[in-house]
Amino acid sequence: MTSANLRILLLGFLLIFLVFNTACSTKPKEPAEVYTRRVQADSLLVQGYNQTDILKFDPAWASFNQALNIYASLDNREGMINALLALGRTRRLTDDIDSAEELYSHARSLAVYSEDPKVMRSVLNHQGDLALRQGNPEKAMELLNDRENEPAGGRERSAQLRLRGSAKAALGFGNEAVALLVEAAEVAITADEVTAAAQAYYKLASLSSLGARFDEAENWAVKALEADKSLEYTPGIAADLRALAIISAKAGKTEAAEDYYRRSWLSWRALGRDEDAEEARTELENLSGMQVTVP
Amino acid sequence: MKFSFRHANKIVGLFVLVAVLLLVLITMFAGLNNKWFTKKIYFTSLFTSAEGLKVGMSVNLRGFEIGRVKNISLNEDNQVDLDFYIYETYHNRVLPDSVLALPSGLLGSANALDLYPGLVKGEPYPDGSFIPSTQTVEGKMLVKTRRVDRPSGNDAITTILAELPDILDNLNETVVSIGTLSATVDTGIKGDGDNSLSSTMQNLDRTMQDVNTITSSLATLAAGLEDPTGLVPTLLDPSGSLDTLLNDDNVLWNHILAIMVQLEGATEGINTLSNSLASVSPQLALTLDETIRSLQEAQKVMEGLQNNPLLKKGISEETFPVNPGSDMREDEF
């Protein structure tokens, strides 16, 4: 065999090998039309989340509803569940608890057939949260300890622990609540879910403040603020600053409280959450005894 | 002579007997026809209005009568309670997630209610259960999430009529969205709101001011070019050129520098404007998002090439929108 033939043979083998590997590396793709529609639904879902953050509930409802329609037309079960949960949350935030319950239970009946266990956990966490807000921590614990809500890592596990902590606190088991919330934060940090960690820190700050442990509360709130800052999550930052303002005011640190109220007011204002901004401004005026205007 | 039948009593008796038998038979046929003797399973439902509903109207499943409406009443929440029954023969069709619908007819509502059976396989709903109607949120969601067996019409008009309630719902939502959008646009055009369009209009105003300033600078420059003692002759003049630029106490240099700074400012303004525009309209945002996703796809192809098994792993998983959970930081302190 000549060296030229040998080279062609080697090149042939190499080509076959490359084609084989390329085929292996390509996962089955959804059709272009489906992909585009799904991306639209995803974008509408994200848009709805953002609108909810700034309390624009009607546009948020419309976004989630459109997303739900698209997901339904694609038979995308996980998408439908997320949209239903988002719709339910919108209803809860507008105090339409019955509709929220209905929407959550729809999401749950869809989640029964989902192959992804995370979906059911997410639904149970939402239902648990609703039960807590209805003043029924026993029912919340039942949902959060459901056998389908089995422990796993990540965001949902952290949310589950945080909600269990809240339920324990509502049932009067303060120490157990703190332990669960600390675990929730640790799980979130391990899974690199900074938002979930911030939520756990925020809850810890709330519990400590209600227990008149203001230094501890301040530490947790600062941690929450740092976490939210790292994500540049403005609604979280504004809420953390408000929390710090209340804690500082309760601890008698007037100057710090004023500073936090001022920052919280400006953050709410930047977000367009006028009612929260006005509340912070009024608190600031009451605390400083001076009229506050836009800098 | 008195005329009489010999068996008059017997004949009259026979007639009476035949009449009674006929009456019984007719009653039996009527009963069978109206399913008086069929066992019925009773259910309840809820509608927002009694319009189009009638006591005795039939409940159909794919055109077959499977039951009837027994009672309609207005409850204390100003909703309409509806009691209906399903014949025992069809009880096994009333599966979990079933929905009751009042279809639209050509002239107002139709003459019968439709039952859309749930797609869940299991035990049928027991006697006394509540079946949501398509006029309730629950019923709408069951239909929307395709959890019911809802037949498509045989002809275009039937299909359109069946879809009409959903279309009207969507239209209503769209009208609400348009209302919100027009309010936003109105505030935005005035430029006095805090929303994206307002800031866009304000940015546009600033950008236009920048552009105006640049235009006037360029006009000054053009006038200079026309001036025989101006910039170009000075540059082209053998005694001028770079020498002039370097030795005119930075007058020309400062002029050029100012234009550059203004140009940079205008570019920045246009960038901000395009970012603001993206947040104004969901459609625009979607289009931009799709472009970004296409670019991400292209990036993935490159990544796929880079991660080819010959070299490394495959294409990494796509990230989906993350559900932020139920929490909105509403705790007390």
Side-chain angles (χ1 to χ4, degrees):
Chain A
M1 193 177 280
T2 62
S3 64
N5 285 344
L6 193 67
R7 256 181 272 161
I8 288 165
L9 196 68
L10 276 174
L11 195 65
F13 271 122
L14 187 64
L15 271 171
I16 291 165
F17 191 57
L18 275 173
V19 167
F20 174 75
N21 277 308
T22 312
C24 287
S25 70
T26 311
K27 62 176 182 179
K29 240 182 120 182
E30 52 191 332
E33 196 189 340
V34 174
Y35 175 79
T36 311
R37 301 270 295 150
R38 207 244 311 139
V39 165
Q40 280 179 349
D42 288 352
S43 304
L44 282 162
L45 208 55
V46 171
Q47 179 174 274
Y49 291 145
N50 294 336
Q51 286 163 333
T52 311
D53 272 344
I54 52 171
L55 311 185
K56 291 195 183 301
F57 297 121
D58 286 345
W61 175 268
S63 302
F64 292 138
N65 209 19
Q66 283 176 48
L68 177 65
N69 286 335
I70 298 174
Y71 285 131
S73 70
L74 299 175
D75 270 339
N76 183 326
R77 199 176 295 274
E78 279 69 34
M80 278 195 272
I81 293 166
N82 274 332
L84 283 168
L85 290 177
L87 285 167
R89 187 171 75 133
T90 314
R91 282 290 178 252
R92 175 180 77 69
L93 291 166
T94 47
D95 292 329
D96 187 353
I97 302 297
D98 290 345
S99 297
E101 251 180 340
E102 265 184 32
L103 289 158
Y104 285 168
S105 69
H106 275 297
R108 185 166 175 174
S109 47
L110 278 177
V112 170
Y113 304 100
S114 174
E115 288 166 7
D116 185 357
K118 271 193 282 183
V119 172
M120 180 53 95
R121 275 178 220 132
S122 178
V123 174
L124 289 168
N125 287 344
H126 276 75
Q127 287 188 314
D129 174 74
L130 189 65
L132 267 178
R133 290 179 200 280
Q134 285 175 296
N136 194 347
E138 292 87 359
K139 187 184 169 191
M141 274 312 258
E142 209 175 287
L143 286 158
L144 296 164
N145 289 324
D146 192 290
R147 69 182 172 82
E148 289 188 88
N149 207 351
E150 283 167 4
R155 172 186 286 267
E156 294 307 334
R157 170 67 174 154
S158 172
Q160 183 202 43
L161 287 165
R162 177 170 50 79
L163 289 164
R164 276 187 194 170
S166 304
K168 282 281 178 192
L171 289 165
F173 300 104
N175 291 337
E176 284 179 52
V178 170
L180 282 163
L181 288 163
V182 170
E183 195 185 342
E186 283 169 358
V187 166
I189 292 291
T190 311
D192 203 21
E193 293 284 358
V194 185
T195 316
Q199 286 171 339
Y201 291 140
Y202 187 83
K203 184 70 197 173
L204 277 163
S206 161
L207 281 188
S208 304
S209 174
L210 292 173
R213 300 185 302 275
F214 299 121
D215 287 342
E216 199 180 300
E218 191 180 342
N219 284 340
W220 290 125
V222 167
K223 281 196 167 193
L225 180 63
E226 280 167 5
D228 284 320
K229 270 186 175 176
S230 73
L231 296 167
E232 296 184 16
Y233 179 57
T234 319
I237 293 170
D240 298 334
L241 287 167
R242 177 179 56 192
L244 278 163
I246 299 169
I247 295 164
S248 301
K250 279 189 173 177
K253 299 176 185 174
T254 317
E255 209 174 309
E258 278 180 34
D259 182 46
Y260 285 130
Y261 269 128
R262 183 171 289 106
R263 286 160 65 190
S264 152
W265 164 47
L266 294 173
S267 306
W268 289 129
R269 209 167 159 271
L271 261 175
R273 280 174 62 165
D274 295 338
E275 274 182 34
D276 290 311
E278 189 52 31
E279 197 182 307
R281 195 183 65 82
T282 312
E283 287 296 331
L284 178 57
E285 282 186 348
N286 291 341
L287 211 60
S288 64
M290 285 161 38
Q291 200 181 356
V292 179
T293 51
V294 182
Chain B
M1 185 182 146
K2 194 178 174 185
F3 181 81
S4 66
F5 281 110
R6 196 174 163 194
H7 302 291
N9 287 345
K10 286 177 187 169
I11 290 167
V12 169
L14 187 70
F15 269 114
V16 170
L17 198 67
V18 168
V20 169
L21 272 174
L22 271 173
L23 189 72
V24 169
L25 275 174
I26 288 167
T27 314
M28 275 179 70
F29 274 117
L32 282 173
N33 221 21
N34 286 302
K35 300 194 166 116
W36 291 345
F37 313 111
T38 313
K39 196 183 166 191
K40 296 163 186 103
I41 317 293
Y42 288 86
F43 297 99
T44 58
S45 187
L46 191 76
F47 283 78
T48 51
S49 162
E51 207 171 317
L53 298 174
K54 277 177 286 183
V55 172
M57 79 192 292
S58 54
V59 178
N60 290 356
L61 171 61
R62 292 191 178 248
F64 283 91
E65 185 188 315
I66 61 161
R68 275 180 185 268
V69 174
K70 185 153 190 295
N71 189 34
I72 303 165
S73 59
L74 188 70
N75 68 19
E76 287 185 358
D77 298 326
N78 292 333
Q79 303 280 306
V80 178
D81 285 330
L82 182 132
D83 300 322
F84 69 102
Y85 55 78
I86 300 286
Y87 305 124
E88 194 190 22
T89 332
Y90 299 106
H91 182 208
N92 58 348
R93 318 295 168 106
V94 193
L95 295 166
D97 288 353
S98 295
V99 171
L100 204 59
L102 176 65
S104 309
L106 276 173
L107 300 166
S109 299
N111 293 321
L113 290 169
D114 277 344
L115 181 90
Y116 301 151
L119 291 171
V120 179
K121 285 192 177 113
E123 289 295 309
Y125 274 137
D127 198 353
S129 299
F130 172 78
I131 311 275
S133 78
T134 47
Q135 291 183 7
T136 61
V137 177
E138 193 183 354
K140 276 180 193 166
M141 284 300 160
L142 284 166
V143 174
K144 194 176 268 187
T145 52
R146 300 186 171 198
R147 285 159 59 195
V148 294
D149 176 16
R150 183 179 167 193
S152 54
N154 295 329
D155 56 75
I157 291 174
T158 320
T159 312
I160 291 165
L161 287 174
E163 298 288 337
L164 203 58
D166 284 353
I167 294 168
L168 287 174
D169 267 2
N170 288 336
L171 189 66
N172 192 26
E173 278 160 18
T174 314
V175 168
V176 170
S177 299
I178 289 170
T180 319
L181 182 67
S182 74
T184 313
V185 169
D186 189 39
T187 324
I189 287 168
K190 286 178 190 162
D192 53 1
D194 292 336
N195 53 37
S196 318
L197 187 58
S198 298
S199 58
T200 307
M201 295 310 289
Q202 284 155 14
N203 286 337
L204 190 63
D205 194 36
R206 278 199 294 275
T207 310
M208 286 314 289
Q209 280 172 16
D210 287 348
V211 171
N212 281 340
T213 320
I214 292 165
T215 315
S216 63
S217 299
L218 286 173
T220 316
L221 196 62
L225 289 172
E226 283 170 11
D227 182 2
T229 60
L231 176 66
V232 172
T234 315
L235 280 171
L236 295 176
D237 190 86
S239 65
S241 66
L242 273 176
D243 190 49
T244 312
L245 187 63
L246 296 170
N247 296 313
D248 65 347
D249 289 334
N250 286 343
V251 174
L252 182 59
W253 174 249
N254 286 340
H255 194 64
I256 292 168
L257 203 63
I259 292 173
M260 294 302 288
V261 168
Q262 282 164 5
L263 269 175
E264 197 186 331
T267 315
E268 212 169 279
I270 287 162
N271 276 342
T272 320
L273 181 70
S274 93
N275 286 340
S276 303
L277 272 173
S279 58
V280 170
S281 151
Q283 287 77 12
L284 193 58
L286 277 177
T287 316
L288 285 172
D289 196 63
E290 277 174 35
T291 315
I292 291 164
R293 278 169 193 271
S294 303
L295 286 170
Q296 283 170 346
E297 279 293 295
Q299 197 181 1
K300 273 185 201 166
V301 173
M302 297 307 290
E303 192 188 338
L305 283 172
Q306 199 180 23
N307 292 345
N308 188 287
L310 193 67
L311 306 166
K312 276 181 194 166
K313 294 169 253 172
I315 294 171
S316 56
E317 284 290 311
E318 188 184 346
T319 51
F320 294 95
V322 180
N323 185 333
S326 51
D327 190 61
M328 277 284 282
R329 314 272 174 108
E330 298 146 276
D331 299 294
E332 287 178 11
F333 283 85

